[in-house]
Amino acid sequence: MTTSSFTPMRTTITSYIDGQWQPAGALLLPVINPATEEVVAQLGEADARETAAAVAAAQASWKSGIWARKSAAEKRRVFQRIVALTLEHIEELAQLECLNSGLPLNYLRARQLPRITRNFDFFADWLSQNVEKAGMSDQDYLRFVLREPAGVAALIAPWNAPLALASTKIAAALAFGNSCVIKPAETTPLAVARFMDILSEAGVPPGVVNMVNGRGHVTGDALVRDPGVRVVSFTGGTQTGRAIAAAAAPGLKRVDLELGGKSANIITETANLDDALDGALTSIYTNNGQQCFAGSRILLQRSIADAFMRRFVERARAIRVGDPLDMATELGPLSNAAHYARVCSFIEMARADGGELLCGGQRPPGLGAKGYYLEPTAVLMPSNAARVCQQEIFGPFAAFQVFDDFDEAIAIANDSEFGLVSYLWTNDLQQAHRAARAIEAGVVLVNTPMILDLRFPFGGYKSSGVGREGIDGMRHFYTEEKTVTIALQRPAMARLGAGAH
């Protein structure tokens, strides 16, 4: 299948409010296929009034209890129906996602979009097993926790994994009884919009999940500031995360911010180097290099550095770059023109900071003049102070550094404003335990690329975010906790005023 052979279901994407698609407003934004630079759809931007209507619909549905008061068994049945319908439409969703994101179709089918079904399956199981705390206090009191939905959740999804990450937020918000308004990135709305119909068909009542579209400073800002919103979940860039936190602060709204990363990938001389090579390539070049947990700083012990870089470069040059709808493609175009220009600017920046270009750094030959394509790129840098080692590039761009001893590797890993993920390849158990304690990151992965599990927290230190995704973090984020205390016998109380009668 070629890029031009698929037409999106909707050519105009509008807001979805209270179970109805809205008419397009005055401002339409282009949705561009990054593989061809062609406009494939238009996006109706929601202004403050339309965004407020979406929040009002969510608030009305929450207060009515049409979803929040459903039994766990009823919610599970809806979640199971969402899973079945997603599987039924997975090909359509994958092609829509590919069309506006440039992510390879094969990768979407096999890796990214299956997260939707895993998310809803996970929370369906959790709904049947969850229990809350209860306890006795010296036989005098029984205390237990009641958990109630927080209310209306604003869910802001990124463009690098549009539906996969939107579905994580929607599944969690619904599992805990909330209503929500989702705002996808303005450049990648197609699959998220189609998912609204799937949710409705599965039995999610009108008004429980609403969608607004538009740019962050227009639609996103109006959504975050709306007084009807109680919690805000955002995945995206650190600068935008700071702006969202500032906008939410006057309303004392709870925020969950999963932000940027500049993850170190430490490869020691004791590692299984075949596994480390596969892991290093995977962690920087999958998802077109556009992933917050990319292992973008590859730290090599000196004794294995030259041989490892030779093998890495050979494999990187063999990566199949091209049309994302071609099932053989391993690396597609970057997401949009502005991002493409920014990523390319780091090539000269690396040279200016004393770096050596090992591979890539240019448009792949044979792909014509259209599309935001960049060869898998790697540079060798003399210092972690270089801008390509400090700034999040968010593309297929690896920066190698060489270290002599493990203390030096840990110091380089921690020399960053970010602290989302770190990777370590070693067969030294002491090094693994030391890294687990010493590395300043929310996730430390030993001898494995990224693997997600909603039973465990995911989030970052420092500028990589606030809060954790994972069942415990999500439960606290999407709910209000109420402690109930019942006296089991008459408590000792002063009888104020009793002596006056």
Side-chain angles (χ1 to χ4, degrees), residues 63-221:
K63 289 183 175 179
S64 75
I66 193 171
W67 176 258
R69 294 184 192 137
K70 281 188 181 295
S71 68
E74 290 174 311
K75 290 189 180 84
R76 286 184 70 227
R77 281 193 288 272
V78 173
F79 278 25
Q80 288 163 351
R81 182 67 176 147
I82 292 170
V83 170
L85 287 170
T86 298
L87 292 173
E88 183 179 327
H89 294 281
I90 197 73
E91 177 66 23
E92 177 189 1
L93 292 170
Q95 294 197 38
L96 287 167
E97 198 75 292
C98 180
L99 194 62
N100 64 189
S101 73
L103 296 172
L105 184 63
N106 189 35
Y107 171 75
L108 287 166
R109 283 176 175 171
R111 294 281 302 280
Q112 196 178 97
L113 293 187
R115 288 179 63 180
I116 304 168
T117 57
R118 290 199 300 271
N119 290 333
F120 283 95
D121 269 336
F122 176 87
F123 282 107
D125 289 342
W126 180 86
L127 283 165
S128 69
Q129 298 174 33
N130 175 55
V131 293
E132 296 296 344
K133 289 190 294 185
M136 300 282 289
S137 179
D138 298 330
Q139 308 303 312
D140 296 328
Y141 297 97
L142 170 65
R143 289 186 173 92
F144 58 89
V145 172
L146 292 179
R147 193 172 297 277
E148 299 174 350
V152 176
L155 311 176
I156 304 176
W159 48 256
N160 64 314
L163 184 51
L165 289 176
S167 75
T168 304
K169 298 177 188 298
I170 293 169
L174 295 186
F176 297 110
N178 300 277
S179 294
C180 61
V181 180
I182 180 81
K183 191 198 90 66
E186 65 271 21
T187 57
T188 53
L190 298 183
V192 180
R194 181 67 182 93
F195 197 60
M196 296 301 103
D197 294 324
I198 289 174
L199 293 174
S200 178
E201 186 178 350
V204 176
V208 174
V209 179
N210 307 272
M211 183 180 79
V212 292
N213 299 287
R215 293 164 294 176
H217 69 280
V218 178
T219 312
D221 187 69

Side-chain angles (χ1 to χ4, degrees), residues 212-272:
V212 292
N213 299 287
R215 293 164 294 176
H217 69 280
V218 178
T219 312
D221 187 69
L223 179 59
V224 171
R225 293 182 187 276
D226 193 291
V229 168
R230 292 310 312 147
V231 299
V232 180
S233 176
F234 168 75
T235 300
T238 296
Q239 184 176 350
T240 304
R242 290 190 176 106
I244 286 172
L252 298 178
K253 298 174 184 181
R254 205 175 301 158
V255 295
D256 179 82
L257 307 173
E258 199 274 277
L259 306 177
K262 193 66 183 176
S263 300
N265 185 1
I266 302 170
I267 302 172
T268 72
E269 61 190 5
T270 70
N272 180 318

